[in-house]
Amino acid sequence: MLRTPTGGSGDGTATADARWVSIGTVLTRLREEFPEVTISKIRFLEAEGLVEPQRTPSGYRKFAPGDVERLAQVLRMQRDHYLPLKVIREHLDALARGEQPALPSPGGQRDLGDGVWDPGPGAATAARIGRAELLAAAQVDEEQLEEWESYGLIVPAPEGGYDAEMVTVARLVADLGRFGLEPRHLRAMRASADREAGLVEQLVAPLRLHRNPQTRAHAEATANELAELSVRLHAALVQSALRSRLH
C-alpha cells in the first residue's frame, strides 16, 4: 500500500505544503508496488491525461497524495486487468462522478462486445472468433470480407479464426468505405502499420527474451505504450498535413 505524507501544525498550510512531492519521490513510492515503473512512464501517463500534477513557477512537477494514488490505480488496472489507457481513463472519470463502474476480475473473462470474449490474463490463447462471428460483429458480407483479406487488411490467425481486434479493423474499413475509400486505397495504411509494429518489436525484443518474468511483463507494457504513442503521432501527422492542404 502506498504511504502518503502526514504531519504539520497551525492553520494547516504547512501540512498541505508538505504533502506535495516531486516526481522522484512519486517514483520511489510507486516502486514499492511496481518495481518496473520509470520516470518516463509517469510522464507518459501525465501526457495521456491520467494525472495532472501542479507545476512550480520554475516548471517542476508537484504531486498531491491523490495524484500518487491515482497513478497507482492506473498501474494496477494495467497490470491486473490488461486494460488500455482509454478504458482506464473512462473508468477513473466515472469514479470521479460518483459512479461505480465494474472492472473485470484479474484472470477473468471480459466482454469485448458483439459476442466476442477475451479470456483474460493467464488464458492459454488470445481471444479468437470464427468467420461467422466476425461477419456478424462487423456487419459485413462474405464478399466484402474476402476482398479485404485479398488486400491484407483482414488477416486470419495462424491457429485459425481471427483475433478479436479484427472486428475493430473490419468496422473501420467499412466506415472508411462509406466515404469512398476502397481496400486498394488502404494498402498503404496496412504497410505502414506493419513497419511500425516491426519497429516496436525490435525495441522490446531484448526485454521479451529476458529470463525475469517482470522484465518480460515490462516488455509488454512498453510495447503497448509505444503502440499508443505511434497511433497518436500518426493522427497528429495526418491532421497537420490536412490543415496545410485545406487552409
Side-chain angles (χ1 to χ4, degrees):
M1 181 62 65
L2 293 171
R3 297 193 300 270
T4 54
T6 57
S9 58
D11 62 0
T13 302
T15 301
D17 290 343
R19 291 166 67 88
W20 293 92
V21 296
S22 68
I23 192 170
T25 301
V26 172
L27 179 67
T28 300
R29 291 179 181 165
L30 290 175
R31 278 186 169 169
E32 294 178 9
E33 183 177 352
F34 311 98
E36 299 298 325
V37 73
T38 62
I39 293 279
S40 297
K41 173 75 171 183
I42 296 172
R43 289 172 176 165
F44 172 73
L45 294 176
E46 178 189 355
E48 289 293 311
L50 274 303
V51 66
E52 297 180 1
Q54 298 293 318
R55 295 274 186 163
T56 66
S58 55
Y60 291 103
R61 295 171 176 82
K62 298 194 304 178
F63 292 82
D67 296 326
V68 182
E69 184 55 41
R70 184 178 172 92
L71 285 168
Q73 285 181 289
V74 172
L75 295 171
R76 288 188 195 108
M77 283 188 274
Q78 283 190 311
R79 179 193 63 194
D80 301 337
H81 302 278
Y82 294 79
L83 296 175
L85 293 182
K86 179 181 178 182
V87 174
I88 293 174
R89 187 187 304 110
E90 291 172 350
H91 177 79
L92 294 178
D93 289 345
L95 289 176
R97 294 192 297 268
E99 302 173 14
Q100 296 296 323
L103 272 176
S105 300
Q109 291 184 337
R110 54 193 176 102
D111 188 359
L112 299 179
D114 299 297
V116 180
W117 285 86
D118 181 351
T125 60
R128 293 284 186 272
I129 59 173
R131 192 175 186 85
E133 289 79 9
L134 177 59
L135 290 168
Q139 300 179 346
V140 298
D141 57 37
E142 184 72 36
E143 183 179 355
Q144 286 176 295
L145 182 56
E146 288 180 357
E147 183 181 18
W148 297 347
E149 286 180 323
S150 71
Y151 284 96
L153 300 173
I154 300 293
V155 181
E159 303 85 358
Y162 300 86
D163 291 336
E165 187 66 26
M166 286 294 105
V167 174
T168 302
V169 174
R171 286 174 172 170
L172 290 171
V173 172
D175 288 341
L176 289 168
R178 297 187 186 100
F179 290 90
L181 286 172
E182 300 177 10
R184 59 189 176 88
H185 299 136
L186 305 178
R187 285 184 299 182
M189 293 186 184
R190 176 72 209 198
S192 176
D194 288 340
R195 288 194 298 270
E196 291 173 22
L199 178 59
V200 171
E201 184 179 16
Q202 290 178 24
L203 291 172
V204 302
L207 296 176
R208 295 185 65 184
L209 296 174
H210 205 281
R211 298 177 64 181
N212 188 327
Q214 287 187 333
T215 302
R216 293 198 300 271
H218 179 56
E220 185 71 21
T222 300
N224 290 335
E225 287 183 26
L226 288 170
E228 292 191 36
L229 288 170
S230 178
V231 169
R232 288 179 58 199
L233 175 61
H234 179 81
L237 290 172
V238 170
Q239 291 171 353
S240 176
L242 281 174
R243 279 195 296 270
S244 66
R245 286 166 170 78
L246 298 177
H247 294 87

